[in-house]
C-alpha cells in the first residue's frame, strides 16, 4: 500500500472510531484512487478526499412510538446527507436492528460514487433506523413510520433530499412514510422513490436493482463472448433484489438454484422457475415467512444457518447484505468454478474475498456499479414526477438497460485509462469519483 493511502487511512480511522464498515468502504475507494491522485495534484491541493469522507450533514433523531399493547417504544432515526455536488441527496432508508451511524455512513459514502456512475444528476445520501419491521404488525410499522417522518419530513424535498427503500423498507413502508410527508408538508410531490404505481411510482422500479445486476453480469460476460444462457447461478437473500435478480437471470436463460434469508439457504438443483418464484414472492412480501418453507413445499435441501456459497455455480449474485462473502466463501466459489460475481447487495464481499476474486481474474462486478440500476430507476421516477408523465414498462426497462450498459462502459474506459484491465472495482471507483471531484472543484470550498 502506498504512503499516501496509509497516512490517509490512519487519519480516517482516528476520526471515525468504531465504524469498521465505513472504514472498509473508504479504504477500497482510496486504494483505487491512488493513481488518480498522482495524475491530478489539484485534487490533493484542494483537499478533495479529506472533504469527501465527511458528510455534508448528519441528522440523528429520536423516534418514539406505541406498540399494539400500548407500551411506549423508542428507536434512533438517521439521515446522512453525504454529498450534493452533482444533485440533491439521493439514497435509501434501511430499517434493521444492525443499523448504526457507521453502517449508514458506509452506505452513504458508496451511494455518492454509485449515483455518479448512473449518468444522472443525483448526489448521495442514506438513512434509516435500528427499528426491526420483522414480527411487527402492520399497525406498528405504520406508527413507527409516521413518527420517523414527523421529524425527517422537514429535511426532505424533491430538490433537496429524496429517500427510497433498502433492507426492511419496501412498498408498505414507503407508502406510510410518503403519506405522512404529504400531510405535514401539505404538498403532493416526488419526495420518495419506490412509490406505488397509482401515486407517482415508476414501472420497473421494484425490479430495477435485481434486473440491473443481471444486465451488468450480461455485459461483463459479453467481454468474453459469453452469455447467461445455460449458466448455473447462486443468489443470496430472498428480498427485493434477490427476487428480481432471479426473475431476470431466468429470463436470460440462466438457472438460479439458491436463495436464502438470515436463517439459512435453500438449494433447488432443478432451478427456481417463474412458478416457484411467485411462491417466494408471496411468502416473503405478503405472508412475511421464512425461506425454509420453500424447501418444505418443493422437497429440496435446506442449509440451516448457512449461506449459499458452497453450492457449485458459474455465476453468483450476492443480494442480501454487507460482508456476506468472506475469504472462505470466496475460495469455495472459486474452487467450484464460479467465474462471475455480480453484487446486487452493497459491499457483500469482504476485502479479502475481493482480493481473491481479482487475483483469480474472474468477472467481478462491485455493488457500486452492478446494483446501481435501482437508484438509476429512482432517477427515472424523479424525471417522470417532474414532467408529470409516466413511461411504459418497456420504455423504463429499455432506459435501465441502456444505463447499465453505460455504467459498464464507464468502468471499462477508466480501467483502460489507468491500465487496470479487468479490475472493475478500480474502474467503478475512478469513474464515479472523477465526476463528483470535478463538480466539487468547480463549486469552490463549500
Ligand atoms: P430486503 O429487505 O428486501 O431483503 C433483504 C434480504 O437479505 C432478506 O432475505 C434478508 O433476510 C436478508 N438479510 C438481511 N440482513 C441479513 C443478514 N445480516 N444476514 C443474512 N441475511 C440477511 O432488502 P433488499 O433486497 O432491498 O436489499 C438487499 C441488499 O441490496 C442490501 O445490501 C441493500 O443495501 C442492497 N441494495 C438494495 C437496493 C434496492 O433497490 N432495494 C438498491 C441497491 C442495493 P431476513 O428476512 O431473514 O432478514
Amino acid at each position: 500500500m502506498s504512503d499516501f493511502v496509509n497516512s490517509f487511512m490512519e487519519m480516517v480511522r482516528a476520526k471515525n472510531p468504531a465504524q469498521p464498515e465505513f472504514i472498509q468502504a473508504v479504504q477500497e475507494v482510496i486504494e483505487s484512487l491512488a493513481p488518480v491522485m498522482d495524475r491530478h495534484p489539484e485534487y490533493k491541493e484542494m483537499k478533495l478526499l479529506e472533504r469527501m469522507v465527511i458528510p455534508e450533514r448528519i441528522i440523528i433523531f429520536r423516534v418514539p412510538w406505541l406498540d399494539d399493547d400500548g407500551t411506549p417504544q423508542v428507536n434512533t432515526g438517521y439521515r446522512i446527507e453525504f454529498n450534493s455536488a452533482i444533485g440533491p441527496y439521493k439514497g435509501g432508508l434501511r430499517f434493521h436492528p444492525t443499523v448504526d451511524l457507521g453502517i449508514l455512513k458506509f452506505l452513504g459514502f458508496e451511494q455518492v460514487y454509485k449515483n455518479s456512475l448512473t449518468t444522472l444528476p443525483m448526489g448521495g445520501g442514506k438513512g434509516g433506523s435500528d427499528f426491526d419491521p420483522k414480527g411487527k404488525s402492520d399497525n406498528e410499522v405504520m406508527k413507527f413510520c409516521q413518527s420517523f417522518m414527523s421529524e425527517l419530513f422537514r429535511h426532505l424535498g424533491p430538490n433537496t433530499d429524496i429517500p427510497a427503500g433498502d433492507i426492511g423498507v419496501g412498498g408498505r413502508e414507503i407508502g406510510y412514510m410518503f403519506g405522512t410527508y404529504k400531510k405535514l408538508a401539505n404538498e403532493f410531490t416526488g419526495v420518495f422513490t419506490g412509490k406505488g404505481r397509482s401515486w407517482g411510482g415508476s414501472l420497473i422500479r421494484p425490479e430495477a436493482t435485481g434486473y440491473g445486476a443481471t444486465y451488468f453480469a450480461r455485459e461483463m460476460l459479453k467481454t468474453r463472448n459469453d452469455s447467461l444462457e445455460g449458466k448455473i447461478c447462486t443468489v443470496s437473500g430472498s428480498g427485493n433484489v434477490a427476487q428480481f435478480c432471479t426473475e431476470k437471470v431466468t429470463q436470460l436463460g440462466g438457472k438460479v438454484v439458491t436463495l436464502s434469508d438470515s436463517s439459512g439457504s435453500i438449494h433447488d438443483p432443478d432451478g427456481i422457475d417463474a412458478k416457484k418464484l411467485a411462491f417466494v414472492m408471496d411468502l416473503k412480501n405478503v405472508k412475511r415467512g421464512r425461506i425454509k418453507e420453500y424447501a418444505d413445499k418443493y422437497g429440496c435441501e435446506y442449509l440451516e444457518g448457512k449461506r449459499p456459497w458452497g453450492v457449485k455455480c458459474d455465476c453468483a449474485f450476492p443480494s442480501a447484505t454487507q460482508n456476506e462473502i468472506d475469504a472462505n466463501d470466496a475460495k469455495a466459489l472459486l474452487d467450484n468454478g464460479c467465474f462471475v460475481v455480480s453484487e446486487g447487495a452493497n459491499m457483500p464481499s469482504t476485502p479479502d474475498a475481493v482480493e481473491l476474486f481479482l487475483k483469480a481474474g474472474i468477472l467481478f462486478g462491485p455493488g457500486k456499479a452492478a446494483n446501481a440500476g435501482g437508484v438509476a430507476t429512482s432517477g427515472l421516477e424523479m424525471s417522470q414526477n417532474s414532467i408529470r408523465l409516466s413511461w411504459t414498462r418497456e420504455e423504463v426497462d429499455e432506459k435501465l438497460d441502456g444505463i447499465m450498459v453505460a455504467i459498464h462502459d464507464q468502468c471499462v474506459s477508466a480501467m483502460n485509462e489507468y491500465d487496470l484491465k479487468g479490475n472493475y472495482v478500480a474502474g467503478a471507483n475512478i469513474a464515479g469519483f472523477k465526476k463528483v471531484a470535478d463538480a466539487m472543484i468547480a463549486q469552490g470550498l463549500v
Side-chain angles (χ1 to χ4, degrees), residues 94-96 98 106-107 111 114 126 132 134 164-170 205-206 208-210 236-243 260-264 284-285 289-290 307 318-322 324 343-348 367 371-375 378:
R94 176 177 290 192
F95 292 168
H96 194 273
T98 56
F106 123 61
L107 289 163
Q111 196 80 45
K114 179 190 307 194
K126 199 82 190 186
D132 189 357
K134 240 184 278 159
D166 190 75
I167 291 179
V169 177
R205 175 59 189 92
T209 309
S236 65
S238 47
N240 172 271
V241 180
Q243 290 170 15
S260 69
D261 60 23
S262 52
S263 311
K284 285 290 171 183
N285 309 346
R290 308 306 296 158
R307 302 186 283 224
S319 305
T321 193
Q322 64 274 358
E324 55 166 316
E343 294 187 332
N346 283 310
M347 208 169 73
N371 72 34
V375 72
S378 279

Side-chain angles (χ1 to χ4, degrees), residues 182-296:
K182 182 168 62 77
K183 180 174 174 177
L184 296 175
N186 193 29
E187 61 172 15
F188 193 113
T189 186
V191 80
F192 265 90
T193 56
K195 297 187 292 295
R197 182 71 196 110
S198 63
W199 39 282
S202 173
L203 288 165
I204 300 287
R205 175 59 189 92
E207 291 88 341
T209 309
Y211 278 20
T214 313
Y215 293 148
F216 197 84
R218 181 199 62 197
E219 290 306 299
M220 291 197 295
L221 279 159
K222 258 191 213 163
T223 64
R224 296 189 181 174
N225 297 320
D226 205 344
S227 75
L228 280 163
E229 188 68 45
K231 298 290 183 298
I232 304 295
C233 301
T234 47
V235 175
S236 65
S238 47
N240 172 271
V241 180
Q243 290 170 15
F244 289 106
C245 179
T246 301
E247 182 167 281
K248 186 51 77 180
V249 167
T250 310
Q251 285 171 6
L252 297 187
K255 190 202 269 189
V256 175
V257 295
T258 67
L259 284 172
S260 69
D261 60 23
S262 52
S263 311
S265 307
I266 58 109
H267 177 204
D268 184 350
D270 295 336
I272 300 162
D273 60 17
K275 200 166 150 224
K276 291 172 180 174
L277 182 60
F279 170 82
V280 173
M281 289 183 174
D282 182 59
L283 175 70
K284 285 290 171 183
N285 309 346
V286 183
K287 300 201 175 81
R288 302 192 187 270
R290 308 306 296 158
I291 200 65
K292 181 176 184 303
E293 293 168 53
Y294 179 104
D296 297 340

Side-chain angles (χ1 to χ4, degrees), residues 82-397:
F82 221 114
N83 193 310
S84 62
I86 62 167
Y89 309 109
K90 181 88 198 91
L93 296 170
R94 176 177 290 192
F95 292 168
H96 194 273
T98 56
V99 162
D100 61 19
L101 192 56
I103 293 272
L104 294 177
K105 277 173 66 185
F106 123 61
L107 289 163
F109 183 76
E110 293 266 301
Q111 196 80 45
V112 174
Y113 309 99
K114 179 190 307 194
N115 291 4
S116 163
L117 278 174
T118 64
T119 71
L120 303 176
M122 297 181 289
K126 199 82 190 186
S129 174
D130 56 355
F131 172 76
D132 189 357
K134 240 184 278 159
K136 305 287 190 302
S137 68
D138 282 351
N139 190 43
E140 289 174 326
V141 171
M142 182 175 74
K143 282 189 186 155
F144 172 81
C145 289
Q146 290 175 338
S147 179
F148 183 83
M149 281 309 288
S150 71
E151 173 55 38
L152 189 60
F153 93 97
R154 73 188 86 248
H155 306 287
L156 305 181
N159 297 308
T160 309
D161 187 350
I162 307 98
D166 190 75
I167 291 179
V169 177
R172 173 182 60 170
E173 291 75 16
I174 286 177
Y176 295 149
M177 288 191 277
F178 178 75
T180 310
Y181 176 86
K182 182 168 62 77
K183 180 174 174 177
L184 296 175
N186 193 29
E187 61 172 15
F188 193 113
T189 186
V191 80
F192 265 90
T193 56
K195 297 187 292 295
R197 182 71 196 110
S198 63
W199 39 282
S202 173
L203 288 165
I204 300 287
R205 175 59 189 92
E207 291 88 341
T209 309
Y211 278 20
T214 313
Y215 293 148
F216 197 84
R218 181 199 62 197
E219 290 306 299
M220 291 197 295
L221 279 159
K222 258 191 213 163
T223 64
R224 296 189 181 174
N225 297 320
D226 205 344
S227 75
L228 280 163
E229 188 68 45
K231 298 290 183 298
I232 304 295
C233 301
T234 47
V235 175
S236 65
S238 47
N240 172 271
V241 180
Q243 290 170 15
F244 289 106
C245 179
T246 301
E247 182 167 281
K248 186 51 77 180
V249 167
T250 310
Q251 285 171 6
L252 297 187
K255 190 202 269 189
V256 175
V257 295
T258 67
L259 284 172
S260 69
D261 60 23
S262 52
S263 311
S265 307
I266 58 109
H267 177 204
D268 184 350
D270 295 336
I272 300 162
D273 60 17
K275 200 166 150 224
K276 291 172 180 174
L277 182 60
F279 170 82
V280 173
M281 289 183 174
D282 182 59
L283 175 70
K284 285 290 171 183
N285 309 346
V286 183
K287 300 201 175 81
R288 302 192 187 270
R290 308 306 296 158
I291 200 65
K292 181 176 184 303
E293 293 168 53
Y294 179 104
D296 297 340
K297 177 159 172 80
Y298 294 107
C300 71
E301 192 182 7
Y302 177 63
L303 308 158
E304 174 91 41
K306 288 214 174 107
R307 302 186 283 224
W309 312 127
V311 171
K312 189 171 167 52
C313 67
D314 304 302
C315 313
F317 293 85
S319 305
T321 193
Q322 64 274 358
N323 292 331
E324 55 166 316
I325 299 185
D326 62 19
N328 286 333
D329 298 321
K331 269 185 217 129
L333 282 163
L334 294 169
D335 287 349
N336 277 328
C338 173
F339 70 102
V340 178
V341 176
S342 187
E343 294 187 332
N346 283 310
M347 208 169 73
S349 311
T350 64
D352 291 347
V354 174
E355 202 181 317
L356 286 167
F357 291 146
L358 293 179
K359 234 182 228 160
I362 67 163
L363 296 168
F364 174 68
K368 211 171 275 137
N371 72 34
V375 72
T377 308
S378 279
L380 301 177
E381 182 171 328
M382 288 161 68
S383 304
Q384 292 169 82
N385 291 161
S386 296
I387 56 172
R388 296 180 192 275
L389 284 176
S390 357
W391 297 325
T392 63
R393 216 183 140 74
E394 290 70 28
E395 279 175 302
V396 182
D397 195 19

